[in-house]
Amino acid sequence: MVYERHLKEFLDASNITVGDIIRLEKEDISYTGMLLEKPDYSNENTIIIKMDSGYNVGVDINGAKVEKIEEHNKPHIELDPVDRQLSDEKDNVTILSTGGTVASVIDYKTGAVHPAFTADDLLRATPELVDYANINAKAIFNILSENMTPQLWMQTAEEVYNEINDGADGVVIAHGTDTMHYTASALSFMLDTPVPVVITGAQRSSDRPSSDAFMNLTSSIVASKSDIAEVLICMHSTEDDTYCSLNRGNRARKMHTSRRDTFKSINMDPIAYVENNDVKINDPQVKYNKRGELPLMLNNNLADKVALVKMYPGVTDELINMYVDKGYDGIVLEGTGLGHCPDNMFNAITRAKDENIPVVITSQCLYGRTNLNVYSSGRRLLQENVIPVGDMIPETAYTKLLWAAGQSDNIDEIRSIMQTNLKGEMDKTLSQQYFIKQ
Amino acid sequence: MAEDKFDYEKLGLKMGLEIHQQLDSQTKLFCRCPNSLTDKDPEITLYRRLRPTQSELGEIDRAAYEESQRNLQFLYQAYTHHTCLVEADEEPPHPLNMEAVDISIILASLMNMKVVDEFHTMRKQVIDGSNTSGFQRTGILATDGYVETEYGNVTIETLGLEEDAARRIGEEDGMVVFRLDRLGIPLAEITTSPDMHNPLQVQQVAYQLGQILRSTKVKRGLGTIRQDLNISIKEGARVEIKGVQDLDLMPTMVENEVERQLNLIDISRILQDRDASVETTIHDITDLLKDTESKVIQSIIQSPTNEVKPTAVLAIKLRGFKGLIGREIQPGKRLGTEFSEHGKKMGVNGLFHTDELPAYGVTQQEVDTINEKLDITGNDAFILVAGEEQKAYNALQEVIKRAQQAIIGVPEQTRKALDNGNTEYLRPLPTASRMYVETDIPTVIIDKQHVVEIAANLPELPYIKQERIQKQYNLSEDLASQLVHRNQADLFEEIKEQLPNMDSVKIASDIVYTIKDLKRDNYDTSKLTTSLLVEIFKLVEDDIIPAAETEVVIKDACNDITPMESVKRNNLKKLDENVIKEAIDEIINENIEMIQQRKMGAMSPLMGKAMAKFQGKADGQMVSNLIKDAIMKNMN
């Protein structure tokens, strides 16, 4: 934030701009240091000075006199250029940066962590990455992941497609963690990929010495050179800086607001782990697409609007009626338990059926599969043509329905797509192993 | 005090103090975990790595960079209930602890400082592992104060409020182990200006600051206060000596550091005269020493881990350094020792240099071959390091840097205080660029009215308080001093306020001695609230129990037995005066003959009989008076 109104007048009167060394004199105290930009949470009468010791203090200008000591020396981030050290011996890996914590820097304008790095900056701040591959870095967006949209997923899929088409042996996507699993899931349906597409991020921003970004990034590069040709989420497996999990992109979920090991595979275990620059397959009996198995294909037609609605005691059918009224292309319900809705929802669900809007049901339990045959309310949902999708997690059902409704208007075809395992997003059998271990 | 060894004034000696004191708030600075250490076995272990990053000014701090070169890995010990995700760097910090802010405002006011308008929490990069985040959270709360000394006022430049670091437990499998219990304990950091010129003045300021700190809610005991000394002479450089424990050692420490700087200045002059230089090439001389008799080098070359981590003997050439590496610069420490300390930071065990060879099994012949290989002639010298190749290489890089500084003069450094008054290299002085803003913690706007209110109710300094209570309550110097030093003067005064007629000495000595003894014997003295103690002393004031019996009641109170119950259980109640009189009459009647024979000489045996009978439940003075009267009456 810049200084405004009376603060601006106060500074302008002495011809002072951000970066100048100034002395501020008050009745009984004076401060000398560099004028910093104003964080938005600071008091309206306060200017921020960085003293010689490196400390910032906020000084109220009430009764203060200011004097300029030294002209403008605006601080800026400058990194040494990195020699990319291209070589035929190494794999070609593209890093696409979308913003988020893995690629962020302190923005002292607002005092917040901002996704301000370009992918190239990221590479320069992490020069050791060039040891792993011929790195081609590219910033496609610069947004916080809560601002991701299906339109941006479509664009991302196209970028990935182009990179692979241009010869990338693997693609790494730097992404904010909040909605990483939505993007991963959407990409898994839009792309048939012959190479790994690895999405990664950080829970501690990359401006910190303790950031998980570095291990996540290097592990992702290692994963992108492996033979697991799927959309993967690569993040810390545990709270330790020892190894990362490679989670199937449409099976993982952010399960903790702040821990490094926030991403967990639901209803399966991670496909593999990356430890000491080595990919270790977790369970050889779990199938995955191998490198080169699928020919490269892009199908990024997504429907315009799909809703994700949670069922809870007290929920009313107004929600569903509104989506029907607004012409949504589909609705995913996060049902209770095995996949249930309260009785008062049925009129609206019938309306959706009459309007030819697919209604998919998942479970807010996350773990386990839906089964609408056990209780009468489930059987009633089946009569209303609601589409149960087994052990698919709600977020994946949401992205898949966007994709399915982008492929067809025919509700039977959509049902068939939704209930067919396309990219490992669902399974007919569930192991005891695949539940929270406590 | 002996005469100073040096003319400090002429040398332009300047000193400053930096004191870190743990505050005794309920919870930690940035999370609500208990503000205390624990000796329990760790319940959770975390393995982490750190790497330096850029600050908002785009520079990497030199101290942080050097630490990263060591490529250290860290193990953190954590607990289910004693620590939380914040200390583990797994959750953003909570807002600043305002109790700690208030304690700091009291300190600021006692040091005549100006409190800032807005407190901004900063991140100070520290990547030695002592902070899980790789930075210490810290901020400036007040500036520009002073304390008075007999040498004149000393400026207090800043008062910082910051989090304490994790507690270093030891090393395990090449990893440094830290415990998270200490991480986040609030610390006040007091920095004086570096304008003290006499070691005695520094001592006095340290004492004064100690008094000020102890008048507020600060932690007491080992490790709760840490003192650093900044020191420089005109032609030397600023050196920060960390962890000066013993104030009495300060003059020796100053002397040794001045001696060190003078020697380094002298060495640099000689090196400049000789046109000395340090070659940056690092030579592999493993082959030259593969058949050496030196056990140290042989054991490294033959190391069984050689396959995984290759070892080597590496050497560098220092032009014009001969004779100076072996020169003593502090009692028992040579320039070579300093080189070695720099090398050791990179994980090697030590180094050999020209001035000490041949020795340690390295023969003159081997020295000659090394000299030949490195083209060592005249005043040239070499340094060799044996160890894991990468570590040895990094170590020599550090030695090269230190040797280059030796040509220029005294390098700015952070050094560690040793018990013998010497110091040892820790790291370069940190630069301002290690600071950047902590974005996870909102700015705290300091309410000026609140500061004024705090300043109007400042606590008494301990020595003033001691003088006052000694006089006001007619206590001995020992009791007054113990009350103040044990931080129990307030408790004493609260009890006195409610029981103004109760004997002050009795209250004070029970607080200082009785309760201390019970605590030592593992009684839970934390149960002794002020109101409970008032209730107990009131029993004495109301003449219900004899003064000597309070110990029993206090002891019971530690075990949740109420004072009344205790009096009943232990049968402590004083006897009624009539009962006493009757009993004494009885004794007199039984001993009437003795009284008539021995007159007042019967006093003592009768007193003995009476007191045995009352078993402490009668006031001695009263019994004595009654017997005396009865003897007088019955003498004739």
Side-chain angles (χ1 to χ4, degrees), chain A residues 26 28-31 34 36 38-39 41-44 46-48 50-61 75-79 105-108 111-113 117 125-128 203-211 214 238-242 256 258-261, chain B residues 44-58 85 88-93 114-127 131-140 143-144 158 160 162 189 431-433 435-443 445:
Chain A
K26 296 179 80 164
D28 55 356
I29 183 79
S30 79
Y31 299 96
M34 182 193 292
L36 293 182
K38 187 176 174 63
Y41 44 73
S42 165
N43 194 316
E44 56 171 14
T46 307
I47 64 172
I48 314 300
K50 180 178 273 299
M51 301 193 291
D52 266 357
S53 57
Y55 282 96
N56 296 4
V57 286
V59 187
D60 192 318
I61 61 160
H76 63 288
I77 301 275
E78 201 175 305
L79 298 163
V105 71
I106 297 272
D107 180 354
Y108 59 92
V113 175
F117 268 177
T126 326
E128 64 267 37
Q203 286 284 81
R204 300 279 91 73
S205 58
S206 51
D207 55 276
R208 303 160 192 243
S210 63
S211 175
F214 309 108
T238 66
E239 289 188 288
D240 301 329
D241 291 330
T242 44
H256 197 277
S258 59
R259 277 172 61 143
R260 287 160 169 75
D261 53 351
Chain B
I44 299 158
T45 307
L46 300 168
Y47 166 88
R48 293 283 169 74
R49 314 186 75 138
L50 294 172
R51 60 178 274 157
T53 56
Q54 289 194 308
S55 82
E56 66 191 282
L57 295 178
L85 288 181
D89 191 44
E90 286 284 53
E91 182 180 309
K114 317 295 180 303
V115 177
V116 298
D117 299 325
E118 270 185 18
F119 180 89
H120 289 236
T121 308
M122 308 293 293
R123 297 171 176 172
K124 185 191 273 189
Q125 254 197 47
V126 185
I127 56 165
N131 291 76
T132 46
S133 56
F135 49 73
Q136 178 191 29
R137 298 187 178 96
T138 173
I140 293 282
T143 60
D144 200 24
T158 54
E162 57 191 34
E189 185 203 54
T431 47
S433 62
M435 305 282 264
Y436 61 117
V437 77
E438 167 56 273
T439 47
D440 295 342
I441 296 161
T443 294
I445 298 164

Side-chain angles (χ1 to χ4, degrees), chain A residues 236-250:
Chain A
H236 271 56
S237 292
T238 66
E239 289 188 288
D240 301 329
D241 291 330
T242 44
Y243 61 102
C244 283
S245 295
L246 295 182
N247 302 292
R248 179 166 281 154
N250 51 32

Side-chain angles (χ1 to χ4, degrees), chain A residues 142-155:
Chain A
N142 192 1
I143 57 166
L144 294 169
S145 77
E146 58 267 37
N147 297 324
M148 264 285 167
T149 61
Q151 279 66 42
L152 294 176
W153 296 338
M154 290 161 69
Q155 205 180 319

